[in-house]
Amino acid sequence: MNNSVTNTARLLGAGLRALLVLTLVTGVLYPLAVTGIAQGLFPGKANGSEVRADGQVVGSSLIGQQGYSLDCFQPRPANGLGENTVNTQYKLILSGATNLSADSRKLVESVRAAKVEVVKDNSTAGYRVNPADVPADAVTSSGSGLDPDISPRYAALQVHRVAARNHLSVTEVRRLVDRHTEGRTLGFMGEPRVNVLALNIALRDLVTKH
């Protein structure tokens, strides 16, 4: 009986020591090490890829924003976004896609309506947008609804409107887009893209200088 109690106590002691060691290593030391390395090597990414303007955080380079006026470059549509209806204590936006199939009548109709709107909004007195030039990302939302980037084609399509509304030359705005066009990651992954938030901050700076 005494041996059984002793063995049980030993097992409990060993289990407790293992729990304490694993808690210390995986719950304290490892997170601190990862956090320290991330802060040391990638501080921007570790802190949410914050974008600052005028000394304030205005957003993240990883998260698209809606609500820009037509004076600015427009992001992709966000048709999949929804509002939090469960815990109304917090004003949360739920990201997601519409999950509509390619042959969905609702999707087809929404794309047609969006294309008409894009052509209308981006045509100016001296420039008419060709509906055939409207790219897919101008009329469809991304899987998350929070895509921060648009294609260079969509950015280029908006150049004439942005120039006209901000009293800038088309050449100036086109150069702005070119400077903010990023190539494929590592030269082969993904597609060329333009970060809308960064582009609009640069646009505001350009307008301020005029």
Side-chain angles (χ1 to χ4, degrees):
M1 183 68 179
N2 290 334
N3 289 337
S4 177
V5 172
T6 301
N7 289 336
T8 300
R10 287 176 179 172
L11 289 175
L12 288 174
L16 181 59
R17 286 193 297 273
L19 175 62
L20 292 174
V21 170
L22 288 174
T23 299
L24 178 63
V25 173
T26 63
V28 179
L29 298 181
Y30 178 73
L32 286 176
V34 171
T35 301
I37 293 171
Q39 290 290 343
L41 298 179
F42 315 103
K45 293 181 179 180
N47 293 316
S49 300
E50 296 175 340
V51 176
R52 291 179 173 273
D54 299 328
Q56 296 182 335
V57 176
V58 295
S60 168
S61 62
L62 303 177
I63 301 177
Q65 300 182 22
Q66 300 294 316
Y68 290 109
S69 73
L70 288 177
D71 292 349
C72 304
F73 284 90
Q74 300 299 301
R76 291 189 67 168
N79 300 325
L81 295 184
E83 295 182 356
N84 168 44
T85 58
V86 178
N87 187 346
T88 55
Q89 180 181 357
Y90 303 101
K91 293 186 66 175
L92 300 176
I93 292 182
L94 310 178
S95 68
T98 60
N99 291 329
L100 298 174
S101 63
D103 60 352
S104 165
R105 178 178 296 180
K106 182 178 180 180
L107 177 61
V108 172
E109 291 176 351
S110 68
V111 166
R112 285 175 178 168
K115 180 176 284 191
V116 170
E117 196 68 20
V118 168
V119 170
K120 175 186 174 184
D121 287 344
N122 291 283
S123 295
T124 64
Y127 174 76
R128 168 73 180 173
V129 174
N130 185 344
D133 293 335
V134 177
D137 62 311
V139 293
T140 58
S141 58
S142 63
S144 67
L146 297 173
D147 194 337
D149 305 318
I150 56 176
S151 67
R153 281 185 62 197
Y154 187 26
L157 182 144
Q158 302 182 59
V159 164
H160 285 80
R161 169 187 41 88
V162 171
R165 294 182 69 96
N166 290 283
H167 307 292
L168 301 170
S169 71
V170 171
T171 301
E172 285 179 301
V173 179
R174 188 172 285 135
R175 286 175 182 166
L176 198 67
V177 171
D178 290 341
R179 286 199 298 269
H180 286 81
T181 298
E182 303 175 51
R184 291 179 171 87
T185 303
L186 299 179
F188 68 93
M189 291 191 296
E191 295 294 330
R193 59 201 180 277
V194 181
N195 187 278
V196 179
L197 176 57
L199 181 59
N200 280 331
I201 291 174
L203 172 65
R204 187 188 64 178
D205 292 341
L206 180 61
V207 172
T208 301
K209 292 178 182 177
H210 271 252

